[in-house]
Amino acid sequence: MANTIITVGREIGSGGRTIAQKVAERLGVPFYDKAVIKGLTEKFNVSAAEIERVKASRRTAWPVLGSLIMPSPAFDYTYAAMAVNPTDEVFKAEAAIVQGLADEGSCVIAGRSGFFLLKDRPERFSVFIQAPKEMRIARVASRQSISEAEARKIVESVDEGRENYTKRYAGVSRYDLRNYDLVLNTGIIPEEQAVEAILAAIK
């Protein structure tokens, strides 16, 4: 496989994270999601300047970064995946991290506006995973063992937060499908079929 950076944007409850992870597993490449990237900046207080310092060193960037910032098993991935309230400095650090991960070679990056941050890279292939709102609500309710009313509030809050984040930092709507090379609706296409569609598209 030629060097390929797959970015996966997804709606909460669409199964997009699972699909992205399965694609990475099938390709045998690293998988990075928003929870990990957020954890890198919050748990270990890594600045954009520190990322650039490591990238400028003679050592390979990712192993160095990994030793500095890989979250512990106790890190709350659920919270990190849902929280979308960055400062400009956090965004700069996350953007530097995404660029650094992409510099290391083929990988799958889910979330954090990867489609925009890596838009000038010819090896980037961007995917967006969506699903009907009611289906997403039911999925969130089931996975978190909460009522559908509670799940609806989470879905609507995360949808709004992610859209505001993308508009603020990328200057576009995440729902503008022109941002992506491939758009999949898991209300129609099962997860395994979505994985196969992505793999077929990058061949």
Side-chain angles (χ1 to χ4, degrees), residues 113-134:
S113 298
F115 75 90
F116 170 75
L117 295 174
L118 303 174
K119 63 184 175 65
D120 295 326
R121 293 180 181 246
E123 73 272 31
R124 183 216 66 175
F125 185 85
S126 290
V127 181
F128 188 69
I129 310 293
Q130 60 185 16
K133 185 175 181 179
E134 295 305 317

Side-chain angles (χ1 to χ4, degrees), residues 114-195:
F115 75 90
F116 170 75
L117 295 174
L118 303 174
K119 63 184 175 65
D120 295 326
R121 293 180 181 246
E123 73 272 31
R124 183 216 66 175
F125 185 85
S126 290
V127 181
F128 188 69
I129 310 293
Q130 60 185 16
K133 185 175 181 179
E134 295 305 317
M135 175 181 168
R136 295 190 291 123
I137 290 169
R139 183 179 182 132
V140 169
S142 175
R143 287 204 164 188
Q144 298 193 24
S145 299
I146 58 178
S147 70
E148 290 208 353
E150 292 173 302
R152 183 178 298 275
K153 290 179 182 179
I154 290 173
V155 167
E156 291 177 350
S157 176
V158 173
D159 281 352
E160 180 181 5
R162 288 179 176 174
E163 174 67 351
N164 289 342
Y165 176 96
T166 305
K167 283 185 174 179
R168 177 176 178 179
Y169 293 110
V172 297
S173 169
R174 70 197 298 264
Y175 299 110
D176 185 343
L177 302 186
R178 292 172 295 182
N179 295 321
Y180 311 102
D181 301 300
L182 179 66
V183 178
L184 299 169
N185 183 344
T186 53
I188 300 172
I189 301 173
E191 286 184 6
E192 289 301 328
Q193 189 173 337
V195 171

Side-chain angles (χ1 to χ4, degrees), residues 28-64:
V29 303
F31 169 71
Y32 309 111
D33 70 355
K34 184 167 61 178
V36 170
I37 294 169
K38 185 176 178 65
L40 305 186
T41 57
E42 289 193 351
K43 186 174 178 65
F44 294 90
N45 193 30
V46 176
S47 67
E50 175 66 10
I51 300 299
E52 292 305 318
R53 183 191 69 76
V54 173
K55 287 170 63 179
S57 73
R58 294 184 177 181
R59 293 180 293 175
T60 302
W62 174 243
V64 177

